[in-house]
């Protein structure tokens, strides 16, 4: 039996022996998590010695020998081509920050069961007890022979950018940092539908992103790739522009392809007349700044649990409002993207996930909404059973079109 977790609250109850009760007794989240949320299950029977001789020795030796002679057979005769490693170092977990590898495991287990539930993809949570870029890259490279893809999760910026880049350079399987690209795909899908609802093209919109971390940078790149009219990012020190002398290498790159208008100053300055606000930073945007946006604006305030702009405030001024929360309409939820993206990439044994594959995923996700498009429905529910098949098919087709598919 797992060890009891002692209730740290001062009002904890005690059992008959005077000890603190386990958290399971009053918190259903702890009850659900006891023993973990996932397990390994065999897909073949082991009923007798004949089954055993096929699944293990001596039958397994014939399969091993064949793979040694033709390494590509590993994709046909093991689970490699259908399993993803969910890798973290625990430095940027959900809204919890740097809580370490052990504390990150409940989230990684959750990610793995989302892969299975929504994409039919097996996934293994791997929490690494190291944070150096070199250490993480080398560790994942050595683990890679067991997996068909790697989903990087909750690794803090700016290290996450270099880790992803270096891993993709060294490995011929998809490397995907969901905090970046999953968020960007779902944001673009919602924005496409918001623009369609207002009978505008994305190229007519000027967007402002609050936050220049992993998600903010990825969203900016994807919006530019999709043809946004203009987009500016703001960090804690204000609008990112080429004339700032305090930029990191990543932010300097961002300055090179954003903010064509040459805006300077604060986030609030950038919002004046803007068509779109995208929040991936936390904090609070003053109501007067939201009021200064263009008529018919869109507010995507995605910080959890407290959006940068509360929906009640946003609805006073914006035509479309989205958040990262499940208790408001238009939830920007990564689970709409990553299961189908990986399912499509694995289906065709893609060597990488390209920008074209991500754009295709966003377009497919937006298309699921169809004629039901409304201000409170610009993005489908994660439980819409059409989502994963649509994204999977679009990503697989895009992989073939871009020449990264191997079957």
């Amino acid at each position: 039996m797992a060890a009891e977790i002692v209730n740290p609250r001062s009002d904890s109850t005690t059992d008959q022996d005077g000890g603190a009760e386990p958290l399971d007794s009053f918190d259903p989240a702890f009850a659900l998590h006891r023993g973990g949320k996932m397990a390994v299950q065999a897909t073949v029977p082991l009923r007798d010695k004949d089954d055993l001789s096929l699944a293990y020795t001596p039958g397994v030796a014939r399969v091993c020998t064949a793979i040694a002679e033709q390494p590509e057979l590993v994709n046909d005769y093991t689970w490699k081509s259908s399993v993803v490693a969910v890798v973290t170092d625990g430095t940027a977990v959900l809204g919890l920050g740097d809580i370490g590898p052990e504390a990150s495991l409940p989230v990684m287990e959750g990610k793995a069961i989302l892969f299975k539930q929504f994409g039919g993809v097996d996934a293994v949570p791997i929490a690494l007890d190291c944070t150096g870029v070199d250490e993480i890259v080398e560790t994942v490279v050595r683990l890679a022979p067991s997996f068909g893809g790697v989903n990087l999760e909750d690794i803090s910026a700016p290290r996450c950018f270099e880790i992803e880049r270096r891993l993709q350079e060294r490995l011929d399987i998809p490397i995907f940092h969901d905090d970046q690209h999953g968020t960007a795909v779902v944001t673009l899908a919602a924005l496409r539908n918001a623009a369609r609802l207002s009978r505008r093209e994305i190229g007519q919109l000027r967007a402002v992103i609050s936050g220049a971390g992993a998600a903010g940078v990825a969203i900016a790149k994807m919006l530019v790739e999709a043809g946004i009219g203009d987009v500016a990012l703001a960090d804690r020190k204000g609008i990112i522009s080429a004339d700032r002398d305090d930029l990191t290498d990543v932010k300097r790159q961002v300055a090179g392809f954003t903010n064509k208008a040459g805006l300077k100053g604060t986030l609030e300055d950038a919002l004046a007349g803007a068509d779109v606000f995208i929040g991936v930073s936390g904090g609070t945007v003053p109501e007067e700044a939201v009021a200064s946006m263009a008529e018919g604006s869109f507010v995507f305030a995605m910080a959890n649990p407290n959006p940068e702009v509360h929906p009640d405030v946003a609805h006073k001024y914006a035509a479309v409002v989205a958040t990262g929360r499940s208790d408001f309409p238009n939830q920007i939820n990564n689970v709409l993207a990553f299961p189908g993206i990986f399912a499509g990439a694995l289906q065709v044994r893609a060597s990488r996930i390209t920008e074209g594959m991500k754009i295709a995923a966003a377009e497919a996700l937006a298309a699921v909404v169809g004629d039901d498009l409304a201000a409170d429905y610009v993005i489908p529910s994660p439980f819409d059973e059409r989502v994963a098949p649509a994204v999977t098919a679009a990503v697989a087709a895009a992989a073939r079109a871009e020449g990264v598919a191997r079957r």
Side-chain angles (χ1 to χ4, degrees):
M1 180 176 178
E4 290 185 349
I5 304 172
V6 177
N7 177 5
R9 302 193 314 177
S10 59
D11 61 345
S12 63
T13 58
T14 57
D15 59 26
Q16 292 179 343
D17 297 324
E21 291 186 11
L23 291 173
D24 304 31
S25 64
F26 64 88
D27 189 331
F30 281 88
L32 182 143
H33 282 77
R34 183 173 283 278
K37 300 190 293 287
M38 57 185 294
V40 175
Q41 185 175 9
T43 60
V44 297
L46 285 177
R47 298 160 301 195
D48 51 37
K49 65 180 182 62
D50 291 333
D51 289 342
L52 185 60
S53 69
L54 288 174
Y56 200 54
T57 185
V60 72
R62 299 197 296 275
V63 180
C64 293
T65 301
I67 294 171
E69 294 172 353
Q70 300 181 61
E72 67 276 7
L73 292 179
V74 70
N75 293 298
D76 296 308
Y77 295 106
T78 72
W79 76 339
K80 176 182 170 71
S81 64
S82 60
V83 67
V84 170
V86 180
V87 178
T88 190
D89 64 356
T91 55
V93 179
L94 291 175
L96 303 174
D98 186 355
I99 60 175
E102 288 87 355
S104 76
L105 266 177
V107 178
M108 300 310 115
E109 286 184 1
K111 198 79 172 189
I113 65 175
L114 294 178
F115 265 109
K116 188 66 173 180
Q117 178 68 29
F118 293 103
V121 174
D122 288 308
V124 177
I126 298 175
L128 302 179
D129 188 17
C130 58
T131 58
V133 171
D134 291 341
E135 291 177 293
I136 292 174
V137 170
E138 292 302 324
T139 302
V140 175
V141 166
R142 283 158 175 71
L143 290 170
S146 296
F147 300 99
V150 175
N151 184 82
L152 299 172
E153 189 76 20
D154 294 346
I155 298 174
S156 63
R159 295 174 310 117
C160 59
F161 302 111
E162 185 178 359
I163 289 168
E164 182 188 37
R165 177 185 61 79
R166 286 173 57 180
L167 283 173
Q168 192 60 81
E169 288 174 353
R170 293 184 60 179
L171 298 174
D172 64 348
I173 57 175
I175 310 295
F176 188 83
H177 185 211
D178 186 50
D179 302 319
Q180 294 183 59
H181 311 301
T183 306
V185 166
V186 183
T187 300
L188 175 58
L191 185 58
R192 281 194 180 281
N193 276 339
R196 180 163 69 94
L197 184 67
S198 65
R199 296 190 173 136
R200 285 181 284 178
E201 300 293 330
I202 283 185
Q204 298 173 272
L205 304 176
R206 179 170 73 84
V208 176
I209 299 173
S210 175
V217 170
I219 291 169
K221 287 180 178 178
M222 185 160 285
L223 293 186
V224 169
E225 186 77 18
I228 191 80
D230 196 8
V231 57
L233 283 80
D235 60 13
R236 291 182 181 88
K237 297 181 180 179
I239 301 167
I240 291 177
S241 57
D243 64 333
R244 278 179 48 180
D245 59 6
D246 59 348
L247 300 178
T248 64
D249 290 343
V250 171
K251 290 179 182 179
R252 194 171 298 109
Q253 292 172 9
V254 168
F257 63 83
T258 63
N259 194 14
K260 292 187 292 186
L263 300 175
K264 300 178 182 179
T266 65
L267 170 69
E268 290 79 3
D269 294 329
L271 283 175
D275 302 293
V276 185
F277 168 76
I278 297 171
V280 284
S281 65
T284 301
V285 177
E287 182 171 346
E288 54 268 29
V290 181
S292 75
M293 295 177 67
E295 184 176 353
S297 62
F298 313 140
V299 171
F300 293 0
M302 299 187 286
N304 264 317
N306 299 311
E308 295 88 348
V309 183
H310 193 279
D312 292 344
V313 173
H315 278 297
K316 294 180 184 180
Y317 311 101
V320 176
V321 177
T323 72
R325 288 173 45 160
S326 60
D327 53 345
F328 292 107
N330 296 327
Q331 184 191 18
I332 307 296
N333 190 331
N334 290 13
V335 77
L336 289 163
F338 69 81
I341 289 174
F342 266 101
L346 294 175
Q347 184 181 98
V348 298
R349 296 180 187 166
S351 58
R352 61 188 299 115
I353 294 172
T354 66
E355 290 302 313
M357 292 162 72
K358 288 180 275 188
I359 294 287
E363 291 174 346
L365 182 55
V368 170
V369 170
D371 294 337
D372 295 323
L373 181 64
D376 62 354
Y377 185 56
V378 297
I379 199 76
S381 163
F383 294 98
D384 188 324
E385 294 182 354
R386 300 171 295 171
V387 168
V391 173
T392 298
V395 168
R400 292 189 177 102
E402 300 216 332
V404 297
R406 288 177 285 200
R407 74 168 185 180

